[in-house]
Amino acid sequence: MRRTFPALVSVFSALALGAALLGGPASAHDRPHFTPGAAGIGDPYFPTDGNGGYDAIHYTLDVRYDPATDRLAGQARMRARATQNLSRFNLDLEGLTVRSVRVNGRRATWRHTGGELTITPPRGLRKRTTFVTDIRYDGVPQTLEDGSGFIHTDDGALVVGQPHVADTWYPVNDHPSDKASYSFKITAPKGLRAVANGVPRGQSTSRGWTTWLWEAREPMASYLTTATISDFRVKDYRYDGIRMIEAIDPKLYARVPARTGDQYAISQAASLSYKRLTRTVEVPAAGGQLSFWVDRSTEEDWDYFFVEARTPGGDDWTTLPDLGGATSTEVGNSCPYWLSLHPFLEHYQTAQGDDTCAATGSSGSWNAATGQSDGYEQWRVDLGAWTGRSVELSLTYASDDVVQAGGVFVDDITTPTGAGSTSFEADGDELDGWTVSGAPAGSEPNPNDWIAGTPDEGPATVGDKAEAAFAKHPRILDFLQDTFGRYPFSSSGGIVDAYPNLGFALENQTRPIYSQEQIGGSEQAAEAVVVHELAHQWYGDSLAVERWSDIWLNEGFASYAEWLWWEDKGEATAQEIFDDTYAAYPAEDPFWDLTIGDPGPDGLFANAVYDRGAMTLHQLRLAVGDDDFFAILRGWARRNAGGNVTTPQFIAYAERVSGQQLDDLFDTWLYTASRPEVTGTFLRRSPVTGLPPFAREWRARR
């Protein structure tokens, strides 16, 4: 009902008169009391993450990044709603310099220390009111100690990490429980593309700089934001009403050239291989060296290139160090696991019984190189131990059974006497006495092996493999929508940057980021990781955890999505995969010591969170039956779309849908630090063979 102005005056006059009769002004009783917002949102795992006193609604990020200097200059605007009467409030910002702060257009005072930006507005902010904060800042964003965060690449930036990344490049309420929508304005040197979350809203170029606009309207946890910059090849199309943006770094299409001539030796790439290029070499009385040039692209800390040596016909095997320092005695992550794949490596490595290995073995020592070289590097190995005698040498590339990079390329070998020196040219004797000797006893036969050939005869490039993996997006999205319900966002796609040894993928909302090692491995491994990260768009992104202790609601669900994918394709049933996973971890394995319902901050990304999380869901499926199980998955995603979830909420929902009491099941699988007894479903006492790759086989690379 509308009231006239005179009527309002009468009302106010009456109120004032009443107040006067009571002995004081009305405002004295109504004056609000303002208090500081908390400097942490209340997550016990990360007490200083996020902040209290307000809910972020929308961020507008305007950043300019110069790869030549690694400097970022930004203006961040946060629109938020006060949840208390605020005298001051905090934002998270790590390592950058704040230049100015305004609240509702007026200058505010601020203090920035220890990653906390504390802002005092010129006047208190009343509860339930909306306010706008503008912050200008700049500096060199920090890459985190684990190698994630704001990563400075050779031509731009790769922004990816979990649970922390956002506060390394903009001020933010940095916790998944405070989601917001985003607008991105990213400026980079002309010729580079900036790819962020959501959908593109145009670009413009002026004075050598290009500005890219992106809009992410759906609420998003801060760690899922990205502003990744490179000279990407971008494929932009629509599928089933979803805007698909797929960005691949063109450098990933480049083939390794021959160092000289037209040909070189190519190891090729394949999972579970032990490839030797072998020759017996005569060592002069004065001694001598073997020299060659090598370009390496191997999965860091998992796959290795090395030079093996022995007296011909003998068992005095050892590996030889590169005199230039390319090799080390570090055994990395593959040992002791890969000793079961390649028992021959026990000549050089010894399992210690505590999941570590010594760099010595039954006959020799370990000297090897891993990761990616910066182009060709010259190796020189001393053959003085065989002075005046013969030595059998093998240039060897050994890998575990999952992620593969491009392999190894060798050119221009020189021996002490000249015999066996070669550049692998097509001259009728391409190998010049070097032989492809195959895998040693105990290893599986190699799926492929060394060849002499041109760059065009080498393995498919990472770019080719990424393109092939992304071509499966429609099929995977169809499957996931059939299983979990309608895709929760307006856009999808993925990013692959030519940054070596990233070692993990992440479910950045609408735009997952994949490492070149994972997407460039086997076709099945690439397929598995794409399924995993796209499943996270439902479980992890649309449904974000309220506290990090519930991380299994992200990783267990995405891992089980892989199981369901392989089951749908007819390659393995979920039961077979459960059996294989259960058998892979004996009762005494530390795997079972972690209570995945509360894994602790150091256990967030442990294998158990993924595998045992998936196993928990499989046990739920067996307990309630397929009809109720899939109704639970779809209903859980639909009812909580865009929000935050907890484990107790999921248990309660599963009980409501199924009509069963499920506390014992979840207590056993989520909160018991031991291997649960499984009866009636565990059909095998040893791992199944021939199954496709699963989360545990690549997620350990995080």
Side-chain angles (χ1 to χ4, degrees), residues 101-109 119-123 132-134:
V101 179
R102 289 179 176 269
V103 178
N104 291 333
R106 301 179 65 184
R107 289 183 180 178
T109 58
I119 298 170
T120 303
R123 63 178 58 181
V132 174
T133 305
D134 288 289

Side-chain angles (χ1 to χ4, degrees), residues 128 159 450 629 673:
R128 288 186 291 275
V159 182
W450 288 95
F629 177 73

Side-chain angles (χ1 to χ4, degrees), residues 549-633:
S549 57
D550 291 320
I551 187 67
W552 86 275
L553 291 172
N554 294 3
E555 302 305 346
F557 278 63
S559 297
Y560 198 66
E562 296 178 65
W563 296 20
L564 296 173
W565 169 257
W566 298 125
E567 183 171 75
D568 184 71
K569 291 189 71 176
E571 298 197 25
T573 68
Q575 184 62 56
E576 287 174 327
I577 301 170
F578 176 92
D579 292 348
D580 175 71
T581 307
Y582 188 88
Y585 301 110
E588 66 276 9
D589 196 300
F591 171 91
W592 300 106
D593 295 342
L594 190 71
T595 55
I596 66 168
D598 189 8
D602 294 333
L604 285 177
F605 307 115
N607 279 356
V609 173
Y610 298 78
D611 284 1
R612 193 166 178 176
M615 296 167 82
T616 300
L617 290 175
H618 190 69
Q619 289 300 306
L620 175 63
R621 180 181 177 184
L622 294 176
V624 304
D626 276 11
D627 288 347
D628 281 350
F629 177 73
F630 288 103
I632 290 167
L633 294 187

Side-chain angles (χ1 to χ4, degrees), residues 256-549:
V256 175
R259 181 176 176 272
T260 60
D262 299 319
Q263 294 197 160
Y264 47 17
I266 305 168
S267 71
Q268 305 191 81
S271 297
L272 188 54
S273 57
Y274 196 121
K275 302 173 181 181
R276 287 168 157 170
L277 190 60
T278 302
R279 180 184 171 86
T280 297
V281 172
E282 301 298 326
V283 183
Q289 297 178 358
L290 176 78
S291 171
F292 58 89
W293 294 78
V294 58
D295 190 307
R296 297 179 289 105
S297 178
T298 67
E299 188 193 10
E300 186 158 16
D301 293 331
W302 293 89
D303 302 337
Y304 289 85
F305 175 69
F306 46 98
V307 178
E308 296 179 283
R310 69 163 176 169
T311 302
D315 197 39
D316 55 342
W317 291 94
T318 193
T319 63
L320 302 179
D322 165 47
L323 298 178
T327 58
S328 82
T329 59
E330 296 295 323
V331 297
N333 297 327
S334 50
C335 190
Y337 168 66
W338 77 343
L339 297 181
S340 64
L341 307 176
H342 305 302
F344 192 86
L345 289 169
E346 292 178 354
H347 282 280
Y348 321 124
Q349 299 178 341
T350 302
Q352 299 288 81
D354 59 355
D355 280 338
T356 66
C357 283
T360 56
S362 60
S363 63
S365 60
W366 177 247
N367 300 275
T370 186
Q372 186 164 317
S373 62
D374 185 14
Y376 277 100
E377 58 191 17
Q378 186 178 24
W379 281 35
R380 294 176 295 109
V381 296
D382 182 20
L383 305 180
W386 292 270
T387 295
R389 298 184 290 136
S390 299
V391 58
E392 181 183 301
L393 300 171
S394 291
L395 310 184
T396 302
Y397 171 44
S399 64
D400 70 348
D401 56 342
V402 192
V403 177
Q404 298 297 301
V408 179
F409 306 84
V410 172
D411 208 353
D412 300 328
I413 298 177
T414 302
T415 69
T417 63
S421 297
T422 180
S423 292
F424 301 101
E425 296 303 309
D427 54 7
D429 184 10
E430 295 174 317
L431 295 180
D432 289 302
W434 291 85
T435 62
V436 180
S437 52
S443 295
E444 294 289 329
N446 293 324
N448 54 44
D449 219 321
W450 288 95
I451 61 170
T454 66
D456 288 342
E457 296 174 88
T461 67
V462 175
D464 294 330
K465 292 182 175 183
E467 205 170 292
F470 285 171
K472 298 178 181 179
H473 272 154
R475 167 73 178 89
I476 294 172
L477 284 172
D478 283 347
F479 165 74
L480 294 175
Q481 290 190 106
D482 288 344
T483 307
F484 303 142
R486 183 68 184 168
Y487 180 72
F489 303 117
S490 56
S491 65
S492 186
I495 300 172
V496 188
D497 193 278
Y499 178 75
N501 305 317
L502 177 64
F504 67 93
L506 189 67
E507 61 271 17
N508 299 74
Q509 189 162 305
T510 71
R511 202 97 334 111
I513 292 177
Y514 301 93
S515 72
Q516 60 172 300
E517 292 81 13
Q518 289 171 337
I519 210 75
S522 71
E523 181 180 357
Q524 283 189 318
E527 194 173 303
V529 71
V530 171
V531 170
H532 188 100
E533 303 309 333
L534 287 185
H536 271 310
Q537 304 305 301
W538 283 262
Y539 307 111
D541 292 8
S542 177
L543 277 64
V545 293
E546 181 71 23
R547 294 289 183 266
W548 283 111
S549 57

